[in-house]
Structures are given as structure tokens and as C-alpha cells.
Amino acid sequence: MKKYLIGLMTIMAAVILAGCTNSSTATDKKTINVGILQVVPHGSLDEARKGFKEELSKEVKQHDKSMKVNYNYQNAQGDQANLNSMAQQLTQKKNDLILGIATPSAQALAKKTKSTPIVVTAVTNLKSAGLVKDDRKPATNVTGTKDLGPVDKQVKLLTTLTKSSKPIGVMYNSSEENSVLQVKMVKEYAKNHHIKLNIVSVTSTNDVASAVSGMADKVSGIYLPTDNLMASSMKTIGKKAREAKLPVVTGSIEMAEDGGVATYGINYNDLGKQTAKMAYKILIDKKKPQDMPVETSHTLRLYVNKANAKAIGIDPSKITKP
């Protein structure tokens, strides 16, 4: 009888312990771990991150008030070595999902894991960057949102702001794949509409000021694609352009806010929120990235930097959607 009681107590203890273990596991699942890798700090990418976090936290809270999202944010400060080591850290920490902001971040993460779901944003072309097999069906562990704006409409907008027959200036970083693609689109549009171009490539923030100064007397205005180096240098570009009385049209709203005159394009905060909705479907609805089509921005906006427009002699109210 004594042996029977001891055996019964052992079984009961095991059942109780198993129940505690299951309860602990359920509790652990109330926290979602999301890694974030950003290549460099600047307005557009910062806004994409803020929009993503705000929207994902809201969506998860609406799903289950007891759930929370824990974010592990890493910024490489534009350094490739940092980018690789941070990508390694984020994939090793077994996050439930990782957000890659901009093409270099997305590529670094994709090289480190083929299993952890990755959503990306502020990437111009996921297929050409080697992140997906096809936009409609990625067939990899990566999906997300593209930031390719209406380059043709942006260049058209710039032509309405220029006051001379001089070529349109284009400045970009030739080492950024996304920028090379956009400049190719500018060239195509210019060829079809008989527009002359003066294209300058820079690869360092140290060269930006001298590049703008060198273009000043040769161009009627400047077009800047959604380029990380250009975005990081907008205050310098804006100052030089104002001195030369040159209109600057940018690839993104945030770039125009920081130093441009106008744009018709993407709001990166909105794009980040759109990306968060995709992340929610993966985390909560258990969708697979490989089956989720890549998305483009749902909204485009005309933005006018009134102060910069007035500074170069343009009436902001005369600037209209192209």
C-alpha cells in the first residue's frame, strides 16, 4: 500500500509539473520577438521603422491585449562590417521575424538565414537584389514592400519648376543598386521626352557639396532618387541648391522635407505601416513569406517644401501634381 501511494504521488507530481511547463510555454508565446536591421540613420528609413513599430504593436494589441512585441533594433551606421555582424546577431537570436530596412540590410539578413521570416521595406527592387524569385510569389523566406516611386512623374514635376533650357542634373550613389535602377529609368524617360541630362555620381558624403557646386551653373534643376547617401546629405544639398536658386525634386517626401523643393512620391511612415500589416499576417495569421506577393506603396502624395520653394523664387501654390 505504501509503495502504491508513493507511486501515485509521483505520477501526480509529474502531471502537475507538466502542467506548469505547458503554462510557461503559453506565457512565453505572449511575447513576440522582432529584430530590426537598418543600414544607416536618415529621415526616410527612420520613418519607415517608426511606422512599422507603431502599426505592428497596435495590430498585435488589438489581437490580444496581453501580447507584446519586443524589438531588437540594430543600426549599422553605414558600415558594411557592422551590417554583416549585426545580421548574424539578429539571426542567431532566433527572432520570430526580422525587418530589413533598405537593400543592403535586406541582403545581409537573407544571406544569414533561409528559415527565419524576413520582411523588408525601402527596397527598390527585391528581385534584382536577389531577395525573391518573383514579386508575385517570392518562393524564399523574404517578402515586403518596395519603395520605387513614380520616377517619370517626379522628373516631369521637375521640368515644370525649371526656368532655363539647361540640362536637368541627376545626382546619385553608383554603388547603390536601387539608385542605379532609378537613374536608368530617368534616362529612359529623358530619351523619350527629349530632355538633356547632366548625371553626377558620388560615393561619399564628403563629395556631395562640391558635386552640387560643380553642377550649379550647368543645370536647370536637380533630381535625386531614393538614395541612402543622398538622403543622408539633404541638408547640405538643400543649402547649396538654395544658394544657386536651383529647384530640387526628390524621390521621397522625407528627402524633400530635409532639403528639397517638392516631390510626388512615397511617405515612408505609411510604407512602414503597410509592411507591418504584412508582418502581422506572418506572425499571427501564420502566412508564409514565400507565398506573399511583394507590395508597392498604397499611397502617393504631392509634397511641397514651401520655405525652400519661396527661397528660390517659386510660388508654392503654383506647384501641382504632375
Side-chain angles (χ1 to χ4, degrees), residues 11-307:
I11 292 170
M12 290 177 66
V15 170
I16 292 171
L17 181 61
C20 289
T21 302
N22 290 337
S23 174
S24 174
T25 302
T27 302
D28 290 344
K29 290 181 179 178
K30 292 295 184 182
T31 299
I32 296 171
N33 294 305
V34 175
I36 300 177
L37 181 60
Q38 185 171 323
V39 62
V40 67
H42 70 63
S44 298
L45 304 188
D46 293 341
E47 283 300 316
R49 184 185 76 252
K50 290 174 186 176
F52 177 87
K53 291 176 64 177
E54 179 184 336
E55 185 67 22
L56 183 58
S57 295
K58 185 185 81 172
E59 295 262 348
V60 168
K61 189 64 69 176
Q62 288 177 347
H63 170 73
D64 185 341
K65 290 183 178 179
S66 64
M67 262 185 157
K68 69 174 184 177
V69 185
N70 178 49
Y71 297 100
N72 182 354
Y73 168 56
Q74 302 282 338
N75 194 309
Q77 303 294 326
D79 185 283
Q80 187 62 44
N82 287 343
L83 199 64
N84 291 332
S85 63
M86 289 173 178
Q88 184 72 37
Q89 291 171 27
L90 289 171
T91 53
Q92 286 181 339
K93 287 187 177 180
K94 299 188 183 301
N95 287 289
D96 298 299
L97 178 140
I98 307 175
L99 170 68
I101 304 177
T103 303
S105 302
Q107 290 174 321
L109 289 168
K111 288 177 182 177
K112 299 297 182 182
T113 179
K114 302 299 179 186
S115 56
T116 303
I118 298 171
V119 292
V120 304
T121 191
V123 175
T124 300
N125 190 314
L126 277 73
K127 185 177 178 180
S128 66
L131 299 169
V132 301
K133 303 295 184 185
D134 186 270
D135 280 359
R136 290 167 295 181
K137 191 174 179 63
T140 67
N141 62 319
V142 182
T143 189
T145 57
K146 297 195 292 186
D147 68 348
L148 181 60
V151 173
D152 55 345
K153 288 183 170 60
Q154 291 169 349
V155 176
K156 182 180 179 180
L157 174 61
L158 180 56
T159 63
T160 67
L161 304 179
T162 57
K163 297 179 179 180
S164 76
S165 58
K166 293 178 182 179
I168 285 175
V170 179
M171 190 162 68
Y172 75 111
N173 180 2
S174 58
S175 65
E176 293 188 31
E177 291 179 30
N178 54 305
S179 303
V180 173
L181 173 64
Q182 291 169 87
V183 171
K184 182 179 179 181
M185 295 172 71
V186 173
K187 289 178 179 178
E188 185 176 346
Y189 179 83
K191 181 180 179 181
N192 292 336
H193 293 81
H194 309 291
I195 299 170
K196 294 180 181 179
L197 300 176
N198 184 326
I199 301 174
V200 175
S201 170
V202 294
T203 56
S204 167
T205 53
N206 297 327
D207 301 327
V208 169
S210 59
V212 178
S213 296
M215 297 172 74
D217 295 329
K218 302 173 184 176
V219 300
S220 57
I222 300 174
Y223 175 71
L224 305 171
T226 51
D227 178 298
N228 292 316
L229 180 59
M230 297 303 106
S232 300
S233 309
M234 282 311 303
K235 285 183 170 48
T236 299
I237 295 171
K239 180 176 182 295
K240 290 291 183 181
R242 283 191 300 272
E243 291 172 357
K245 303 295 182 183
L246 288 173
V248 176
V249 168
T250 60
S252 77
I253 290 173
E254 289 78 10
M255 290 171 70
E257 288 175 337
D258 288 343
V261 167
T263 191
Y264 179 63
I266 292 168
N267 178 285
Y268 277 80
N269 192 276
D270 291 344
L271 194 67
K273 290 179 179 180
Q274 187 176 329
T275 312
K277 291 181 184 296
M278 298 182 74
Y280 177 88
K281 290 177 182 178
I282 295 169
L283 292 165
I284 305 299
D285 298 338
K286 304 305 178 184
K287 300 285 187 181
K288 302 292 185 183
Q290 50 263 44
D291 301 323
M292 296 175 65
V294 173
E295 297 183 9
T296 55
S297 177
H298 293 331
T299 57
L300 292 172
R301 302 181 188 178
L302 173 69
Y303 171 80
V304 178
N305 187 320
K306 295 179 180 179

